[in-house]
Amino acid sequence: MWKLKIGEGVDGPYLNSINNYVGRQTWEFDPDAGTPEERAQVEEARQNFYRNRRLVKPCGDLLWRLQFLREKNFKQTIPPVTIEDGKQISYEKATKALKRAVNYFSALQGSDGHWPAENAGPMFFLPPLVFTLYITGHLNTVFHAEHRKEIFRYIYNHQNEDGGWGLHIEGHSTMFCTALSYICLRILEEGPDGGLDNGCARARKWILDHGSVTHIPSWGKTWLSILGIFDWSGSNPIPPEFWILPSFLPMHPAKMWSHCRLVYMPMSYLYGKRFVGPITPLIQQLREELYLQPYNEINWRKARHSCAAEDLYYPHPWIQDLMWDSLYILAEPFLTRWPLNKLIREKALQVAMKHIHYEDENSRYITIGCVEKVLCMLACWVEDPNGDYFKKHLARIPDYIWIAEDGMKMQSFGSQEWDASFAVEALLASNLVDEIGPVLKRGHDFIKKSQVKDNPSGDFKKMYRHISKGSWTFSDQDHGWQVSDTTAEGLKCCLLMSMLPQEIVGEKLEPERLYDAVNVVLSFQSKNGGLSGWEPAAASRWLELLNPMEFVENIVIEHEYVECTSSAISALVLFKNLYPGHRTWEIENFITNAVHFLENMQMPDGSWYGNWGVCFIYASWFALRALAAAGKTYNNCQAMRKGVKFLLRTQRENGGWGESYKSCPEKKYTPLEEGRSNVVHTAWAMMGLIHGKQAERDPTPLHRAAKLIINSQMEDGDFPQQEITGAFKMNCMLHFAVYRNIFPLWALAEYRQRVPLP
């Protein structure tokens, strides 16, 4: 059986932690673990997912939950609550439902105080890891037979009926992820006509029916070129000389969005080297399987601008294609020949590699995310196959692996701190402090220990890095990358805990560390009042015209986000009340400008667009929460009134809310089909209305929403897993598996506390 291990790791030559591995999540397979009944329970969860995979595509993340509940001997002692039609919700029934949710969720807490959970969903995360291990010769040492079994399970569970795979688990089939998944299966020794339900043959047919892999997007072209299944001359240039451009240029790396910069950094190194892995018999076979014509007859130059219609979310503007053509025809021929290949290219490759090593060291070889992790790991191997840099990367692969009933996947990295902050805020809202003191104390301890204590090493500004001292990352302290909204939510949790007895929740965070967090949050505000995510937004918007990626949008530079801005307002309002003498004018000015940003970002229908969740309901909850914290009300703020009316207008007949992920790419509110509601969306909308003081005008919509949440609760206190709820960059979705516990619990807590009940 698979077992989740929390906070485990031993410092050595290739693995180290600056925080004693707090927040680390790794999986281990023990062939002797589990009773026959426990193994049968796991197998039943797998079979249930497979049978229902077309109906609910995100997994319930059940394997670790079964483990934790078993280890803690959890038994739900409060009987289920049902609200019958025509009956009112009493305070007693609301309390019972809330306590059932709190009891269950408390049992899921890890030993270090965080709540483990899957944070995955995109289908392009895992295959490149398999490719890299195959190229470097480490596939069999890292992934044993049980890993392979779970990879097969995951890929086949999420294969679409037409034979392809989507960009994410709920998406329509794309060339990018179909090709990557097919090649991954073949590398793991699945036959060309093998697989569950003829999965490989169906996938290959989809690829060939849609023009072959000559129509794969640019990232796919890069990975296939690395494997030797594509020719580098069929890719647009990714010149490493970019890293030695003068800083005054508008296209300088320092002006790029951090994730974009850190993806193209190792990509440019591999491109500059024109690295190609070993041409094995399998690679030769794949060259025959994936094209409509013989490999040696393909017009690679023509393939550079080819992209399948299914993948094309962001078409390149003509100015970008002109730039690529100029680099391809004019620049590359000179940069790859003597003397420029010696004078310029080698210098550029050295600078790119210097940045890669810097980022690796400052993240303990985790890197900022999974796409970057694999590319940096491969670049280190190309530089020195036997070097310590590559071995340190290998030691951190387990941090990215996640196992659930739908199989093995690669995490984005993790959402430990993000989830823990919301979990603690939800539990605090329950007003059950005396009953769950130990749970709150552990959560508080995790949050305190996860705060980043220092800035990146050395002259970090020269390495294009922002301050991080006092921040919180999305995951754990070892990761090292500050995020504005995670910092704001971590700060808010510590402030809320400081208002409670220390004998219950532990010592409060020292003022200096709170001040450090405030300093980080303040540093993220742009001139328009909004907050960016990872680094301050400082680049010109026109640079987005150069977005080389066909399947996501707004990735070249940092942008301001409603969610980040809203989290900052909520945290700084509370901080100002508790520490009125610290940077008072700055904070007041910050809040005023941030509120103006939210008002300016409101859509004509009263909603706000969500960048990190699905979608308009998600961001509307954030915005209404922040506006209420800033003293805005339904009576004195038009934005509040419009936001409330949007939520009331989109409530479903069954009392809930349900929004399709398609709202994100289409940028217009799109409800779930067939009148369905989602408990997480319902919780967000319900809390938004509570912040808008809907209870004072007409509590009926809140009672209807609470009824749906209460009646959706399962026998053990859990809530059902439904549609995917996380998002990024408009067109890609993320599965936050613990959201289905945090937000319904939080909504019930706010409802019980702030809505009058009989």
Side-chain angles (χ1 to χ4, degrees):
M1 285 181 65
W2 289 96
K3 182 177 181 180
L4 179 63
K5 303 171 76 174
I6 299 296
E8 294 195 14
V10 178
D11 282 357
Y14 308 124
L15 182 68
N16 77 292
S17 170
I18 58 173
N19 195 31
N20 198 29
Y21 301 97
V22 170
R24 193 179 192 217
Q25 309 171 139
T26 54
W27 287 86
E28 181 179 83
F29 184 80
D30 182 353
D32 301 319
T35 65
E37 292 78 12
E38 291 166 354
R39 294 186 179 202
Q41 195 177 25
V42 169
E43 190 57 34
E44 181 183 5
R46 290 169 173 159
Q47 292 301 317
N48 283 339
F49 181 85
Y50 179 76
R51 285 192 295 269
N52 296 292
R53 70 191 187 284
R54 305 293 183 207
L55 301 174
V56 181
K57 297 188 177 183
C59 73
D61 209 12
L62 296 180
L63 267 58
W64 74 269
R65 291 171 180 244
L66 293 172
Q67 173 193 327
F68 274 35
L69 297 177
R70 183 171 63 247
E71 290 173 348
K72 298 179 182 182
N73 197 28
F74 172 76
K75 295 289 188 296
Q76 181 61 264
T77 57
I78 304 173
V81 177
T82 301
I83 308 299
E84 298 177 357
D85 290 343
K87 299 292 185 180
Q88 285 186 312
I89 302 175
S90 66
Y91 183 84
E92 180 185 4
K93 286 193 172 183
T95 300
K96 284 184 178 180
L98 175 61
K99 285 188 174 182
R100 295 179 79 248
V102 168
N103 287 352
Y104 176 82
F105 191 51
S106 297
L108 297 181
Q109 189 180 35
S111 56
D112 64 359
H114 87 281
W115 280 262
E118 173 179 326
N119 184 232
M123 294 302 296
F124 58 88
F125 283 1
L126 179 61
L129 176 60
V130 173
F131 300 167
T132 296
L133 294 174
Y134 176 74
I135 290 167
T136 61
H138 287 76
L139 184 60
N140 294 331
T141 55
V142 174
F143 289 157
H144 54 64
E146 293 298 328
H147 285 103
R148 293 172 183 240
K149 185 187 299 183
E150 296 303 326
I151 293 173
F152 285 146
R153 190 192 313 278
Y154 181 69
I155 293 178
Y156 289 130
N157 269 330
H158 294 290
Q159 187 173 24
N160 290 333
E161 292 182 86
D162 63 6
W165 283 270
L167 192 62
H168 53 87
I169 56 176
E170 290 194 7
H172 66 267
S173 295
T174 61
M175 181 64 72
F176 183 40
C177 290
T178 301
L180 263 58
S181 297
Y182 178 83
I183 296 167
C184 181
L185 291 170
R186 296 287 283 115
I187 286 175
L188 294 173
E189 301 179 1
E190 196 75 280
D193 297 314
L196 185 67
D197 295 330
N198 298 314
C200 282
R202 291 166 55 227
R204 188 171 63 257
K205 182 179 186 304
W206 192 97
I207 291 169
L208 297 178
D209 286 349
H210 290 79
S212 86
V213 293
T214 55
H215 288 70
I216 198 168
S218 57
W219 277 16
K221 287 177 168 65
T222 297
W223 272 112
L224 269 59
S225 297
I226 289 168
L227 282 166
I229 303 171
F230 204 86
D231 194 279
W232 277 113
S233 63
S235 295
N236 283 320
I238 317 172
E241 287 74 20
F242 187 60
W243 304 101
I244 57 174
L245 290 175
S247 60
F248 63 80
L249 292 176
M251 295 171 60
H252 191 263
K255 298 178 174 67
M256 294 173 69
W257 180 45
S258 54
H259 279 270
C260 184
R261 182 171 73 242
L262 298 181
V263 165
Y264 284 98
M265 184 186 296
M267 267 193 187
S268 70
Y269 179 84
L270 296 166
Y271 173 84
K273 288 277 189 178
R274 296 299 196 279
F275 171 77
V276 178
I279 305 302
T280 64
L282 174 61
I283 298 300
Q284 296 278 14
Q285 291 173 37
L286 288 168
R287 287 179 174 182
E288 296 178 6
E289 294 170 13
L290 294 172
Y291 294 97
L292 293 169
Q293 63 192 108
Y295 186 78
N296 59 3
E297 296 179 11
I298 296 170
N299 184 337
W300 296 111
R301 178 175 291 194
K302 182 180 178 182
R304 285 191 304 118
H305 295 311
S306 297
C307 181
E310 291 76 8
D311 296 66
L312 193 58
Y313 177 69
Y314 180 79
H316 290 172
W318 69 268
I319 187 72
Q320 185 182 149
D321 285 339
L322 177 63
M323 181 189 74
W324 295 131
D325 290 342
S326 299
L327 288 171
Y328 185 87
I329 297 168
L330 301 175
E332 278 299 304
F334 288 100
L335 291 170
T336 54
R337 289 177 174 82
W338 189 89
L340 295 185
N341 63 337
K342 294 293 183 182
L343 296 174
I344 297 178
R345 176 131 298 182
E346 287 192 7
K347 170 66 174 177
L349 289 169
Q350 291 170 7
V351 172
M353 205 66 221
K354 178 182 177 182
H355 281 274
I356 290 169
H357 291 322
Y358 181 85
E359 294 299 337
D360 288 347
E361 287 291 332
N362 276 277
S363 64
R364 274 50 63 185
Y365 287 80
I366 294 167
T367 75
I368 196 172
C370 64
V371 175
E372 299 87 345
K373 163 71 178 177
V374 178
L375 287 163
C376 288
M377 180 166 65
L378 180 58
C380 288
W381 183 83
V382 172
E383 182 194 38
D384 184 358
N386 299 309
D388 287 352
Y389 296 128
F390 176 67
K391 293 173 183 176
K392 290 178 180 180
H393 266 296
L394 288 175
R396 280 293 189 175
I397 288 176
D399 297 65
Y400 276 96
I401 300 305
W402 196 261
I403 311 287
E405 68 270 22
D406 64 338
M408 184 187 117
K409 66 284 308 252
M410 190 176 190
Q411 301 259 64
S412 64
F413 172 54
S415 52
Q416 297 96 305
E417 170 59 32
W418 179 250
D419 291 340
S421 293
F422 279 145
V424 166
E425 290 182 60
L427 290 170
L428 286 172
S430 72
N431 280 340
L432 299 173
V433 174
D434 292 337
E435 299 179 33
I436 56 171
V439 175
L440 292 172
K441 188 173 185 177
R442 285 192 296 270
H444 189 201
D445 186 60
F446 171 78
I447 293 170
K448 289 186 294 184
K449 287 180 178 177
S450 297
Q451 188 181 24
V452 177
K453 306 299 193 302
D454 297 296
N455 290 320
S457 63
D459 188 357
F460 59 89
K461 291 185 179 180
K462 186 177 179 181
M463 304 306 285
Y464 321 138
R465 290 292 297 269
H466 187 55
I467 59 171
S468 58
K469 182 181 180 182
S471 70
W472 276 271
T473 78
F474 204 63
S475 50
D476 60 23
Q477 190 188 149
D478 278 340
H479 180 264
W481 266 92
Q482 69 286 339
V483 186
S484 64
D485 51 358
T486 315
T487 300
E489 298 297 344
L491 170 63
K492 185 176 181 181
C493 280
C494 291
L495 293 170
L496 290 170
M497 287 292 194
S498 72
M499 301 164 66
L500 298 174
Q502 293 191 30
E503 58 269 22
I504 297 178
V505 299
E507 294 183 5
K508 60 184 179 181
L509 197 67
E510 300 91 331
E512 285 302 322
R513 289 176 62 184
L514 296 173
Y515 299 161
D516 287 340
V518 169
N519 186 56
V520 171
V521 173
L522 292 175
S523 75
F524 277 100
Q525 190 170 46
S526 299
K527 291 180 180 179
N528 63 7
L531 268 74
S532 50
W534 286 260
E535 296 169 327
S540 301
R541 298 294 174 118
W542 66 263
L543 287 171
E544 286 295 352
L545 291 172
L546 305 181
N547 173 14
M549 292 178 63
E550 300 87 347
F551 56 84
V552 288
E553 191 175 350
N554 286 350
I555 61 100
V556 175
I557 63 171
E558 263 283 16
H559 294 266
E560 297 83 11
Y561 307 106
V562 167
E563 301 97 308
C564 298
T565 308
S566 300
S567 289
I569 291 172
S570 299
L572 290 183
V573 167
L574 180 58
F575 177 83
K576 184 169 71 78
N577 292 337
L578 296 177
Y579 294 86
H582 184 76
R583 301 177 72 168
T584 307
W585 180 86
E586 286 180 74
I587 292 173
E588 289 178 350
N589 192 53
F590 178 102
I591 293 169
T592 299
N593 292 333
V595 167
H596 288 160
F597 173 81
L598 293 184
E599 292 172 338
N600 291 334
M601 292 300 291
Q602 191 171 31
M603 306 292 284
D605 67 355
S607 68
W608 284 266
Y609 181 84
N611 283 273
W612 310 110
V614 179
C615 169
F616 293 97
I617 293 174
Y618 179 69
S620 294
W621 164 61
F622 269 95
L624 291 170
R625 172 185 179 226
L627 291 172
K632 303 297 182 180
T633 68
Y634 188 89
N635 293 325
N636 70 15
C637 177
Q638 184 184 26
M640 286 285 278
R641 290 193 295 274
K642 290 175 63 178
V644 166
K645 289 175 182 177
F646 163 75
L647 293 176
L648 292 175
R649 191 167 58 250
T650 52
Q651 190 171 24
R652 317 307 295 266
E653 288 187 12
N654 61 10
W657 280 261
E659 186 174 1
S660 169
Y661 80 86
K662 294 178 182 178
S663 289
C664 299
E666 295 175 6
K667 301 176 188 174
K668 63 178 181 179
Y669 178 76
T670 307
L672 290 172
E673 296 176 351
E674 300 172 355
R676 298 197 311 275
S677 289
N678 181 298
V679 290
V680 176
H681 298 155
T682 301
W684 289 336
M686 187 175 167
M687 288 192 287
L689 290 176
I690 289 173
H691 289 303
K693 300 293 180 66
Q694 180 63 31
E696 296 178 0
R697 295 181 297 277
D698 177 13
T700 304
L702 298 171
H703 296 320
R704 294 175 62 218
K707 177 184 175 182
L708 182 134
I709 290 178
I710 292 171
N711 287 346
S712 297
Q713 194 173 37
M714 299 161 69
E715 189 170 339
D716 58 3
D718 195 3
F719 290 92
Q721 178 60 56
Q722 297 170 311
E723 296 81 6
I724 204 162
T725 52
F728 68 94
K729 294 304 171 184
M730 280 76 175
N731 198 36
C732 206
M733 305 301 124
L734 275 173
H735 177 32
F736 287 84
V738 81
Y739 275 13
R740 76 173 191 266
N741 300 106
I742 294 172
F743 292 107
L745 184 161
W746 197 347
L748 286 178
E750 297 284 4
Y751 174 75
R752 170 179 172 265
Q753 179 182 353
R754 300 170 65 172
V755 179
L757 298 173

